[in-house]
Amino acid sequence: GDSVTQMEGPVTLSEEAFLTINCTYTATGYPSLFWYVQYPGEGLQLLLKATKADDKGSNKGFEATYRKETTSFHLEKGSVQVSDSAVYFCALSDGPGGQFYFGTGTSLTVIP
Amino acid sequence: NAGVTQTPKFRILKIGQSMTLQCTQDMNHNYMYWYRQDPGMGLKLIYYSVGAGITDKGEVPNGYNVSRSTTEDFPLRLELAAPSQTSVYFCASNEGQGSYEQYFGPGTRLTVT
């Protein structure tokens, strides 16, 4: 079945460091891919998405490119801030039935 | 727009008690979902609905029931609560399948003792 595998955490970075969180997926069709962010005590919020191969999603300085050949959707940011501290979830939607599949989440802490 | 609202925010249940977690969305979304999130884990789908009157099981439906009598509401019922149901429960909605994002409620933190 469809699934998402993402990098284990936790990740701790200094402010202004480069961030990469790896995400790979398994899907039978042509899924849409998402990154969600969860701040402490809150629900998940959409960070960015890509709906087809080679699409790049971007938001708030974060980017991820849909790579069909490597079945990956890695999240990157060039310079993290303390306010980026949160848990990041990679997800896919395979369309039929509207089901979403989430990774286990990667906790990011950015220290000043 | 309120988006997706959930009540209560917190609840403590004794083993064997029952309760209903409420979820309402005001975006006229057909698709609605219930997830549970255990500490350090991702989200697991409990039940989902593709429209009023239609529900289906997700990955972890045992011990739960749902109904969808209106587009707006998607309550989750716990019968005979067990400690294994201690978790944070999130309701979400979605405009349609495929590329549409999911909108999440703030969650209900449930403890069963």
Side-chain angles (χ1 to χ4, degrees):
Chain A
D2 293 0
S3 66
V4 173
T5 302
Q6 65 179 99
M7 188 171 105
E8 294 279 337
V11 174
T12 302
L13 293 174
S14 297
E15 207 165 21
E16 298 183 4
F18 184 84
L19 169 71
T20 299
I21 301 177
N22 291 336
C23 171
T24 57
Y25 68 90
T26 301
T28 53
Y30 301 94
S32 295
L33 301 174
F34 305 81
W35 277 100
Y36 280 82
V37 59
Q38 184 181 32
Y39 298 103
E42 298 183 11
L44 279 70
Q45 305 171 24
L46 180 67
L47 180 60
L48 54 84
K49 71 176 185 181
T51 58
K52 61 183 187 297
D54 300 326
D55 269 3
K56 178 186 282 188
S58 62
N59 186 27
K60 299 181 182 179
F62 291 89
E63 292 183 341
T65 301
Y66 189 151
R67 302 280 188 204
K68 189 170 184 293
E69 63 275 13
T70 54
T71 63
S72 65
F73 193 55
H74 304 321
L75 182 68
E76 296 181 336
K77 186 174 186 181
S79 176
V80 294
Q81 306 300 312
V82 172
S83 58
D84 294 327
S85 298
V87 181
Y88 293 82
F89 292 90
C90 186
L92 73 82
S93 173
D94 62 0
Q99 285 202 42
F100 277 64
Y101 300 87
F102 288 85
T104 54
T106 302
S107 175
L108 170 67
T109 300
V110 180
I111 54 178
Chain B
N1 255 354
V4 179
T5 57
Q6 292 182 237
T7 56
K9 288 189 176 181
F10 304 94
R11 184 72 186 267
I12 298 174
L13 282 182
K14 294 190 184 306
I15 294 171
Q17 287 185 321
S18 301
M19 77 164 293
T20 299
L21 281 65
Q22 301 292 344
C23 175
T24 301
Q25 53 90 11
D26 63 359
M27 297 172 282
N28 202 34
H29 286 171
N30 284 322
Y31 290 72
M32 295 187 74
Y33 310 80
W34 274 105
Y35 296 93
R36 59 178 287 172
Q37 183 181 32
D38 299 321
M41 305 290 287
L43 281 77
K44 294 189 177 179
L45 183 65
I46 305 171
Y47 271 94
Y48 67 102
S49 169
V50 300
I54 305 170
T55 62
D56 208 348
K57 296 178 180 179
E59 184 183 356
V60 289
N62 292 343
Y64 307 93
N65 277 301
V66 294
S67 60
R68 185 93 183 272
S69 56
T70 67
T71 300
E72 295 78 20
D73 300 308
F74 190 41
L76 177 72
R77 178 84 179 159
L78 278 72
E79 305 283 2
L80 299 174
S84 61
Q85 293 178 303
T86 294
S87 189
V88 180
Y89 291 84
F90 288 101
C91 180
S93 73
N94 171 263
E95 183 176 354
Q97 63 191 31
S99 65
Y100 298 103
E101 71 176 279
Q102 290 206 338
Y103 293 82
F104 283 82
T108 295
R109 185 174 295 275
L110 176 67
T111 301
V112 181
T113 62

